[in-house]
Structures are given as structure tokens and as C-alpha cells.
């Protein structure tokens, strides 16, 4: 077996025996590094290694997978007492593995921590991690909208408040680390995990994702950026598929969200992805995890493995000869902690150290980061104790109100011929498989769809009105009839007749179609639920066509985890409403939009395709990535990135300036326009600022987002929206592989979407070409002033 970089002979060090006298590592008054140094010199090699892995109590090997290949990886008969004698680094998902009440989970966790503290010589508790993408993934915790819905809000401040609420609940029950946010930029919506992404634009993903990090960590929870990096760009949208991506696309599209979250968000942990980029798996990529993340970006937190990702270097990728080799490669690359269980970082790593093929210095490097984080979390303090027995409400009214607000801001009105809002006394046929089913509200990382589906009959644990229940509450005077018509993914069309008959008798038909999230084939969206084409699952498209044939106006409500092609029916629909898994308050939010109580302000974080094939296609493409005369495939979306309608009208007035504006390559330019609400009801416009670079060293996207602002306006009210745009936002990776800002002409385009440009300002950058790095300015400043 080859020796890993920096490998030397094993040098396990026992310098003290845990004498209960003065122990500087326990002293909160001392600097963190001094405390870590003192503890490290006391630990044996086995005790050091024990801090680098996790244990997953309750994760049986029989049929309840919530992680890839879990049945093949988990040993349900592991010896807990023996495993913790040297200490333990982490505990995996004590609340998110099986249904437990907060009180039951806290009591069990306290018992586990007591056993860990008692068994080890030094009494160091484990760091506890949980999933938290759409809220704390625990039974009875508030279920927020999925990440794609966060992107639809274009509201980082709201997402930050949401994340803080999530973190407060987690911290109250004894959790320390959350495995969120997902900062993968959506590149192919056929990928099942599209629902977990924030969108297809790196600026939107970066700004919203960084806000989530700030919110979660404000509550004392370590945020974990995932999946670093390139995971969402797998070939054909297949989960775990190889990524064919050059360094320029990686640098300019996939990495900026992680960079901003580390730099401006202060993220304390990063999870490597399952991806291989140009043949190198991320878990073994030193250039990615060490040279870039730590060397260039200055990250000093922990890098944790995606579940079983170290083992996969051997079992799936075939780049490691055995588990010891996999452990050495991962440590050398920069992975600090093996999750969710110990496989490679246990005996295989100890044996490799003894054989001299892995150096103890790699263990010490990872250990220092782990202990530093435990010290920062208070886990090394002498007065540490698990939370007390006081009752904890994981679904408090304030959190539900936040869930409602996020859901309402995320609903997107795609089209409307005037049928919406629905009349209060209308006769409404509410049909479709998701009209009276909560499945369309929850993404694959919510407790009901992640764990609950393995427990038939288990209550949701939270109040989650269906769309039918919500619309009846929203429009109490309306006559609402209901039929499902079909299931989400079944082939049976026997229910069509009832749905069609109700539609014929109604003033308007509302049909709720979309996805049912799940894991590894147990859903139509979610991890391991990829699709070959972007066609609504099952026979839902045929149901839509049958309802349209009735002649009754049809409003399509899409409750989905990805965008689906609507070109075949769009010209016949009276209206279309998109909601990406909007969470437990999603039913009232969508009903509020349909009934008019909520004026929609959501904008598409991903384009809605016209045709189900021809993927991947996205707005962030150079000229030849769009429609051309030399290809018969037209990727133009039906509804573009940033699109969304309102029940009011907005007028845009651009400011007259002497063009082009002059700006040095190290300066900034200020551009503005005025937006006025010209309708008769309050509403929120979303002003989007795009950059167009007509001539560059390499091909560039025709336009790309560099700023945005939500602009709430009362009827007749006007506000001036001003952006201060640093020249650094024009930076890109040039031919020499360096990120540069070059002199030349640019256009700053104000748009209501990426395809609806309302005002353009020409800018000329002057001065020398600049090479910019990690400290470049990555965001525009925006201000709103009353006119």
C-alpha cells in the first residue's frame, strides 16, 4: 500500500494519565489554543482517534435507510460500551433517527452523554449533530419550506430569522451542529436533490445561504456547508454521478456560495460531497479541502464526511485499496471527522498508523480542529452539563408564524389571465392528488418524509392543513367540491371521471399536482429520486389535459421539489401557481394567494422549462447555450429565472445619466431606478440587477445576477432603489486561471426577471487589469428610499 503524504512511523503519545489535579484544558479563562494543546498532549493515539468519528445509536441495518447504502454499512450489533472507552467525537441524530418526543430524546441523550463522559478517562462529551434543512428534523418540530422555497423569497433577512429559530430549538435539547445549508447551485433539475438547493444562480444561493448560516450560528449551532463541491452538477442529474466540469465553471459557479458563507457567514463546518470531479472524489481532494478551503479561504473549522463518504473511497470510487487506505487519503485531503459511524477511522486507521502508512501528524491536525470546536461550544468546560428536564416546545407559535411568512413569500404566481384571486362565493372544483394530502408540503429532509414514512400510522407531529382544508377556511362562502383524480405517481386513470365531472359543474377548477418527496426511490423528488425528463409524475399531465378539455377555467397549483415542463398545457391554463414544498404552513399560504389575502411576491429561483427534454438548460449560459439557428433544441424556458407576477401593477422609471458611467477596475458604481405601485392594493416588487459583459477573455453568461431587492409598496407609493456595485462583481476566471477584473464595457441591467429587462445602464471600467482573490467584494449594497 502506498504511504500517504506526510506519513511517518506511528508515534502515539501518552504523557499524562489524567491526574485530577490542575488541568489547563478545563480552564475557560485560558486561550482556546492553550487548552487544546494541553489536552492533546495527554491523549493516547486511541483516544485521539476516538474524537474523529461518530456513533449512530438506533440506526439498525434493517430496511429504514435515511442515508445511501445504510443497510450495507451499519452494524446494528456494535459494542457501545467498548466503543466509548476511549471517548467519542460525535453522536449521530439522536432525535432524527426515530420518532421521540423532546422529553424522551433529551432523556436518552443525557444518558448517552453520561455514559460517554463516565467511560473515557477525560470525561469529554460528544458533539451532537442533526439534520436541519427544513427545520430541525425531529418529530414535532416546526417544518419550514424547503430550500428552493427560500430562494423563491429573495429575502435573506427572513431566511436568517428562520434559521435562528431552527437553531434555538436544536440548542434547547442539546444539539450542537446542524447539517445545513445546502449550497449546491442547481445545474440540472432532473437531479432529485434539486429541492434542497436554493436555486440555479450562485449569487442568490450565496446570499440566501450565508444568511441561513448567520441565523443558525447566532443560536449557538455550528452550521455545516454542504456538499463541497460540485455535487449538483452530476452527469444527467444522476445522484452520485461523475461530474464533468472544468476548473473555471467550478470556480465561478459552484464555489462562490461556499466562499461567501465561510468569509461573511463565518461557517464553522463544511461537509465534503460524494462527487468526483474529473476523476478525483471530493473526500480525497487535498486541493479542494486543504489548499483552497483552508489555504486560500482561511477556513479554520472542521471538515466532516458526508455519510459513509470515507468508506466510499474504497467501496464505490475504487481509489483506496482498503478502509485504512481510505482513512489515510481522507485525513491527508483534509477530512477531520468520519460520519455517521466509525468504519475507516477506527481500527483500520489505528492499524495503518502502526504500520507507518498513515502519520499520526494527520490525526493530530484533525484532532486540533475537533477539540477547538468542542472548546468553543463549551464541551471542555468543567461545568458542562446536558440540558435540564424543563419542557421544550419544538413547534412554538413564533416558529409557526415564521414558517407561514416564508411560505407566503415563496409562492410564485406564474401566470394569470384574471381568474385569480378567486371570487369569495365562487363554485370551485379542487381536484388533483395533492389537493387533500400533506405529501405536497414536505421535502425529503422533513421528518415525515425522511423518517416518518418508515413508521406507518405515525401522526405528522405538527399541524399542517391541506390545501383543501385551507381553501375552505380561506373562502368560507365558496362552494368547494373535491376529488383526487389520480395518485402522484400511479398509472390508474379511473378517478379522472369524477374530477372531470366536478370541474364541468364548477365556475373554476383548481388542480393540485406535483411531487411526493422521499429517499432512494421512495418518492418522485428527493435524494436518490432522479428523473429522466421533466414531466409531471404518473398520469398527472393527462389529468390536467382532461380537465382543460372541460372548458372550465383551470388553475394549476404545483406543489413540487423541482420545476416541471408546462409547455404542453400553459397556453390553455387560466392561471398557474408554483410552490416548492412549502412546509406545514404551505396549505394556508397557497390558499391565501388563491383567495387574494396574500399578494404573491415569490420569484423563480430556477427556470420552468417549456419541454421535458433537452436538459440541462439554465439561464446562466453563454450565447451558444441559449437558442440558436444551428440546433433544433431550444432551451428557452417557459418561465425564466426570476419570474413572478403580482396582483398589482408596478411602474419602473430608470434614472437618466450620462453614459457610459466611468468606474475604475478597483472602484464601485452606483445605479438606481424608481419603482411605483400603480395598482390598488399593496404589493412587493423584486428588483433584480444583472451584469452583461459583452467582450471577455473567455465566454461568459449572457447575463448573471449581481444584486436584488424586495420593494414593498402601498398603492401609489414609490421608492428609489439604488445599488452600489463594486467592480469586483465583474470578476471571472480568465485564460490563465486567475480571477480578474479587466477594463472595458459592461451593462448593468435592471429586470423583473432574467428575461424581462426594464432598464439598462452602460458602464466603462478603466484602469489596469486586476487579479482579485478571497478578499474581493462579492455583493452589491442596496438601499431603498421614499420618493
Amino acid at each position: 500500500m502506498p504511504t500517504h503524504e506526510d506519513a511517518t512511523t506511528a508515534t502515539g503519545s501518552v504523557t499524562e494519565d489524567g491526574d485530577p489535579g490542575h488541568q489547563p484544558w478545563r480552564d475557560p479563562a485560558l486561550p482556546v489554543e492553550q487548552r487544546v494543546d494541553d489536552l492533546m498532549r495527554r491523549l493516547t493515539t486511541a483516544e485521539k482517534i476516538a474524537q474523529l468519528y461518530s456513533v449512530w445509536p438506533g440506526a439498525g441495518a434493517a430496511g429504514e435507510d435515511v442515508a445511501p447504502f445504510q443497510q450495507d454499512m451499519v452494524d446494528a450489533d456494535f459494542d457501545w460500551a467498548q466503543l466509548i472507552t476511549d471517548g467519542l467525537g460525535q453522536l449521530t441524530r439522536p432525535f432524527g433517527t426515530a420518532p421521540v418526543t423532546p422529553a424522551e430524546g433529551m432523556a436518552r441523550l443525557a444518558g448517552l452523554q453520561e455514559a460517554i463522559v463516565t467511560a473515557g478517562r477525560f470525561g469529554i462529551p460528544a458533539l451532537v449533530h442533526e439534520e436541519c434543512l427544513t427545520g430541525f428534523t425531529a418529530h414535532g418540530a416546526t417544518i419550514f419550506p424547503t430550500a428552493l422555497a427560500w430562494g423563491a423569497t429573495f429575502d435573506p433577512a427572513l431566511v436568517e430569522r428562520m434559521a435562528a429559530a431552527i437553531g434555538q430549538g436544536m440548542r434547547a435539547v442539546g444539539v450542537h451542529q446542524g447539517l445545513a445549508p445546502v449550497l449546491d447551485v442547481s445545474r440540472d433539475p432532473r437531479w432529485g436533490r434539486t429541492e434542497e438547493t436554493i436555486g440555479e444562480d450562485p449569487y442568490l444561493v450565496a446570499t440566501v445561504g450565508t444568511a441561513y448560516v448567520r441565523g443558525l450560528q447566532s443560536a449557538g449551532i455550528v452550521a455545516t456547508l454542504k456538499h463541497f463541491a460540485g455535487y449538483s452538477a452530476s452527469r444527467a442529474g444522476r445522484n452520485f454521478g461523475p461530474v464533468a466540469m472544468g476548473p473555471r465553471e467550478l470556480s465561478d459557479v459552484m464555489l462562490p456560495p461556499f466562499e461567501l458563507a465561510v468569509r461573511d457567514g463565518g461557517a464553522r463546518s463544511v461537509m465534503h460531497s460524494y462527487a468526483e470531479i474529473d476523476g478525483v472524489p471530493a473526500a480525497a481532494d487535498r486541493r479542494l479541502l486543504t489548499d483552497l478551503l483552508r489555504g486560500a479561504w482561511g477556513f479554520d473549522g472542521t471538515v466532516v464526511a458526508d455519510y459513509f463518504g470515507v468508506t466510499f473511497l474504497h467501496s464505490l470510487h475504487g481509489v483506496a485499496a482498503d478502509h485504512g487506505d481510505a482513512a489515510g487519503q481522507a485525513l491527508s485531503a483534509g477530512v477531520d471527522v468520519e460520519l455517521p459511524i466509525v468504519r475507516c477511522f477506527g481500527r483500520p486507521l489505528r492499524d495503518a498508523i502502526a504500520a507507518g502508512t498513515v502519520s499520526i501528524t494527520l490525526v493530530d491536525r484533525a484532532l486540533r480542529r475537533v477539540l477547538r470546536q468542542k472548546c468553543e461550544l463549551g464541551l471542555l468546560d468543567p461545568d458542562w452539563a446536558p440540558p435540564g428536564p424543563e419542557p421544550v416546545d419544538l413547534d412554538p407559535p413564533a416558529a409557526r408564524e415564521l414558517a407561514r411568512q416564508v411560505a407566503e413569500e415563496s409562492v410564485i404566481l406564474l401566470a394569470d389571465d384574471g381568474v385569480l384571486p378567486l371570487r369569495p362565493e365562487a363554485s370551485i372544483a379542487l381536484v388533483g392528488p395533492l389537493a387533500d394530502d400533506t405529501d405536497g408540503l414536505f421535502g425529503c429532509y422533513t421528518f415525515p418524509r425522511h423518517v416518518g414514512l418508515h413508521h406507518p400510522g405515525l401522526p405528522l407531529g405538527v399541524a399542517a392543513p391541506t390545501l383543501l382544508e385551507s381553501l375552505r377556511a380561506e373562502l368560507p362562502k365558496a362552494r368547494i367540491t373535491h376529488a383526487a383524480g389520480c395518485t402522484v405517481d400511479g398509472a390508474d386513470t379511473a378517478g379522472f371521471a369524477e374530477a372531470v365531472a366536478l370541474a364541468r359543474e364548477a365556475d373554476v377548477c383548481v388542480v393540485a399536482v406535483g411531487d411526493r418527496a422521499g429517499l432512494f426511490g421512495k418518492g418522485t423528488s428527493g435524494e436518490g429520486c432522479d428523473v429522466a425528463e421533466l414531466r409531471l409524475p404518473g398520469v398527472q399531465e393527462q389529468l390536467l389535459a382532461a380537465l382543460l378539455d372541460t372548458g372550465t377555467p383551470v388553475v394549476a397549483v404545483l406543489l413540487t421539489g423541482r420545476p416541471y415542463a408546462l409547455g404542453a398545457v400553459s397556453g390553455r391554463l387560466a392561471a398557474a401557481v408554483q410552490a416548492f414544498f412549502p412546509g406545514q404552513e404551505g396549505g394556508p399560504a397557497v390558499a391565501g394567494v388563491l383567495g387574494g389575502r396574500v399578494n404573491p411576491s415569490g420569484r423563480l429561483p430556477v427556470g420552468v422549462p417549456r419541454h421535458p427534454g433537452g436538459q440541462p438548460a439554465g439561464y446562466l449560459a453563454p450565447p451558444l447555450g441559449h437558442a440558436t439557428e444551428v440546433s433544433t433544441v431550444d432551451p428557452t424556458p417557459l418561465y425564466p429565472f426570476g419570474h413572478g407576477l403580482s396582483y398589482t401593477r408596478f411602474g419602473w422609471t430608470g434614472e437618466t445619466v450620462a453614459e457610459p458611467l466611468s468606474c475604475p477596475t478597483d472602484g464601485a458604481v452606483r445605479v438606481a431606478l424608481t419603482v411605483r405601485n400603480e395598482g390598488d392594493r399593496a404589493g412587493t416588487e423584486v428588483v433584480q440587477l444583472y451584469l452583461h459583459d459583452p467582450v471577455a477573455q473567455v465566454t461568459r453568461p449572457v447575463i448573471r445576477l449581481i444584486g436584488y431587492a424586495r420593494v414593498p409598496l402601498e398603492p401609489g407609493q414609490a421608492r428609489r432603489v439604488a445599488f452600489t456595485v463594486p467592480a469586483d462583481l465583474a470578476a471571472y476566471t480568465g485564460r490563465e486561471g486567475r480571477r480578474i477584473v479587466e477594463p472595458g464595457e459592461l451593462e448593468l441591467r435592471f429586470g423583473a426577471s432574467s428575461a424581462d429587462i426594464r432598464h439598462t445602464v452602460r458602464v466603462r471600467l478603466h484602469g489596469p487589469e486586476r487579479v482579485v482573490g478571497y478578499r474581493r467584494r462579492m455583493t452589491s449594497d442596496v438601499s431603498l428610499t421614499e420618493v
Side-chain angles (χ1 to χ4, degrees):
M1 183 189 304
T3 300
H4 295 289
E5 190 169 353
D6 296 328
T8 62
T9 57
T11 58
S13 57
V14 184
T15 59
E16 294 194 20
D17 62 359
D19 174 39
H22 179 61
Q23 296 178 334
W25 66 274
R26 285 286 196 192
D27 188 350
L30 295 177
V32 170
E33 293 302 326
Q34 185 176 337
R35 296 173 68 187
V36 170
D37 285 341
D38 179 67
L39 180 55
M40 285 182 64
R41 68 184 181 85
R42 300 170 184 267
L43 300 178
T44 66
T45 296
E47 289 168 335
K48 290 179 176 181
I49 292 173
Q51 292 296 318
L52 307 186
Y53 54 71
S54 190
V55 172
W56 196 352
E64 296 184 3
D65 284 13
V66 296
F69 301 98
Q70 182 177 325
Q71 292 184 56
D72 301 327
M73 299 291 171
V74 171
D75 178 8
D77 299 319
F78 70 90
D79 188 335
W80 163 257
Q82 178 61 37
L83 193 60
I84 63 175
T85 55
D86 293 317
L88 183 65
Q90 293 209 17
L91 279 169
T92 295
R93 300 182 63 179
F95 293 89
T97 300
V100 294
T101 66
E104 291 168 343
M106 292 169 71
R108 181 166 181 263
L109 177 56
L112 293 170
Q113 290 284 33
E114 182 181 5
I116 294 164
V117 168
T118 302
R121 291 194 306 145
F122 296 93
I124 304 170
L127 185 153
V128 180
H129 77 259
E130 291 280 358
E131 297 286 356
C132 60
L133 183 69
T134 56
F136 182 13
T137 307
H139 191 233
T142 305
I143 302 173
F144 291 90
T146 197
L148 205 56
W150 312 348
T153 70
F154 279 67
D155 193 344
L158 178 60
V159 171
E160 183 171 343
R161 290 168 51 210
M162 177 195 75
I166 294 170
Q168 289 160 9
M170 297 171 73
R171 191 66 173 172
V173 298
V175 177
H176 308 101
Q177 181 168 4
L179 304 186
V182 171
L183 297 185
D184 299 301
V185 178
S186 175
R187 300 298 280 171
D188 188 334
R190 293 176 298 178
W191 188 47
R193 302 191 78 169
T194 295
E195 64 175 71
E196 299 177 51
T197 73
I198 295 170
E200 68 174 285
D201 180 89
Y203 188 92
L204 181 66
V205 175
T207 49
V208 172
T210 297
Y212 181 97
V213 170
R214 286 194 296 263
L216 194 70
Q217 295 194 161
S218 73
I221 297 295
V222 172
T224 308
L225 314 181
K226 59 186 193 181
H227 308 85
F228 193 63
Y231 185 35
S232 57
S234 57
R235 291 175 184 164
R238 295 176 59 241
N239 198 36
F240 277 57
V243 174
M245 176 184 292
R248 182 171 294 105
E249 183 179 357
L250 180 68
S251 178
D252 291 350
V253 177
M254 308 304 288
L255 293 180
F258 293 92
E259 186 177 0
L260 190 69
V262 166
R263 192 189 75 181
D264 291 7
R268 301 302 299 143
S269 191
V270 171
M271 175 181 280
H272 76 69
S273 87
Y274 292 130
E276 58 168 273
I277 301 177
D278 195 26
V280 181
D285 192 342
R286 176 173 179 166
R287 292 175 300 175
L288 182 70
L289 301 182
T290 296
D291 297 347
L292 176 69
L293 179 62
R294 298 191 184 277
W297 294 358
F299 176 72
D300 64 356
T302 56
V303 173
V304 300
D306 203 345
Y307 282 16
F308 310 115
V310 178
T311 298
F312 291 160
L313 294 176
H314 167 61
S315 63
L316 296 183
H317 293 296
V319 298
D322 52 37
H323 288 171
D325 187 21
Q329 288 195 37
L331 282 169
S332 181
V335 178
D336 302 316
V337 181
E338 182 180 22
L339 298 182
I341 62 173
V342 54
R343 287 179 59 85
C344 301
F345 278 21
R347 179 164 295 281
L349 177 56
R350 292 198 298 272
D351 291 346
I353 292 172
T357 56
V358 176
S359 171
I360 191 66
T361 60
L362 294 176
V363 171
D364 285 343
R365 183 177 71 173
L367 176 65
R368 177 173 296 280
R369 297 162 182 161
V370 168
L371 293 181
R372 182 191 299 130
Q373 193 157 87
K374 286 195 170 186
C375 190
E376 293 168 346
L377 289 167
L379 294 173
L380 303 187
D381 293 353
D383 61 350
W384 176 87
E390 295 81 8
V392 174
D393 184 358
L394 294 179
D395 186 30
R400 294 196 298 273
E401 178 56 34
L402 268 175
R404 174 80 67 100
Q405 188 175 352
V406 177
E408 289 179 351
E409 289 194 9
S410 73
V411 177
I412 306 154
L413 181 60
L414 297 178
D416 179 23
D417 68 1
V419 70
L420 295 181
L422 298 172
R423 291 186 296 106
E425 298 181 357
S427 169
I428 304 167
L430 178 54
V431 302
L434 295 175
D436 194 29
D437 193 326
T438 58
D439 282 358
L441 306 179
F442 303 138
C444 74
Y445 270 78
T446 62
F447 194 89
R449 303 307 304 166
H450 199 78
V451 177
L453 54 80
H454 300 300
H455 300 268
L458 179 73
L460 288 177
V462 296
T466 66
L467 181 57
L468 176 62
E469 294 167 337
S470 302
L471 195 60
R472 283 177 171 163
E474 191 74 36
L475 300 175
K477 296 181 179 181
R479 177 178 175 271
I480 300 176
T481 56
H482 166 256
C486 64
T487 61
V488 168
D489 54 354
D492 189 357
T493 61
F496 280 21
E498 183 183 7
V500 166
L502 293 181
R504 283 201 177 101
E505 297 171 359
D507 298 330
V508 62
C509 174
V510 176
V511 54
V513 294
D515 279 317
R516 175 175 48 83
L519 298 171
F520 313 116
K522 295 183 175 68
T524 61
S525 174
E527 185 172 0
C529 298
D530 313 315
V531 295
E533 60 179 359
L534 297 177
R535 194 183 299 278
L536 281 166
V539 294
Q540 293 181 89
E541 190 171 300
Q542 292 95 303
L543 175 62
L544 265 175
L547 295 169
L548 288 165
D549 286 344
T550 66
T552 299
V554 174
V555 177
V557 173
L558 297 115
L559 301 170
T560 70
R562 60 165 65 85
Y564 284 106
L566 298 177
V569 296
S570 64
R572 303 171 65 195
L573 289 172
V577 174
Q578 172 72 63
F580 296 110
F581 289 144
Q584 72 183 65
E585 294 292 332
V590 173
V593 168
L594 294 175
R597 173 179 55 84
V598 176
N599 193 349
S601 62
R603 299 295 184 265
L604 282 173
V606 288
V608 172
R610 183 177 299 275
H611 308 293
Q615 297 298 318
Y619 100 96
L620 203 69
L624 291 178
H626 296 269
T628 69
E629 296 179 357
V630 295
S631 173
T632 56
V633 176
D634 183 353
T636 304
L638 179 64
Y639 303 112
F641 173 84
H643 170 77
L645 303 179
S646 171
Y647 291 148
T648 190
R649 303 183 312 279
F650 299 102
W652 295 39
T653 305
E655 296 188 353
T656 302
V657 296
E659 296 187 50
L661 297 179
S662 181
C663 176
T665 54
D666 62 353
V669 64
R670 188 172 175 86
V671 294
L673 53 64
T674 297
V675 179
R676 183 179 300 277
N677 184 347
E678 297 176 344
D680 57 5
R681 60 176 296 169
T684 297
E685 179 67 294
V686 179
V687 176
Q688 301 157 46
L689 184 65
Y690 294 89
L691 183 142
H692 169 63
D693 189 349
V695 179
Q697 292 183 10
V698 298
T699 61
R700 302 292 298 136
V702 174
I703 59 171
R704 58 186 177 90
L705 189 71
I706 60 167
Y708 57 86
R710 288 179 60 88
V711 188
L713 295 166
E714 295 296 321
Q717 184 182 16
R719 282 180 168 166
R720 183 175 184 265
V721 186
F723 292 89
T724 300
V725 182
D728 288 358
L729 280 176
Y732 65 91
T733 302
R735 293 188 184 185
E736 303 303 319
R738 298 176 300 180
R739 183 174 277 113
I740 60 172
V741 177
E742 58 182 348
E745 300 281 341
L746 302 172
E747 289 183 3
L748 300 180
R749 300 178 177 180
F750 291 90
S753 77
S754 58
D756 183 5
I757 302 302
R758 305 288 181 85
H759 180 61
T760 298
V761 178
R762 292 185 299 119
V763 177
R764 177 180 295 120
L765 296 183
H766 61 85
E769 178 179 293
R770 294 173 55 236
V771 175
V772 296
Y774 176 62
R775 288 298 168 189
R776 73 191 184 283
R777 290 169 289 181
M778 296 181 67
T779 58
S780 296
D781 293 330
V782 61
S783 64
L784 305 181
T785 55
E786 194 82 15
V787 174

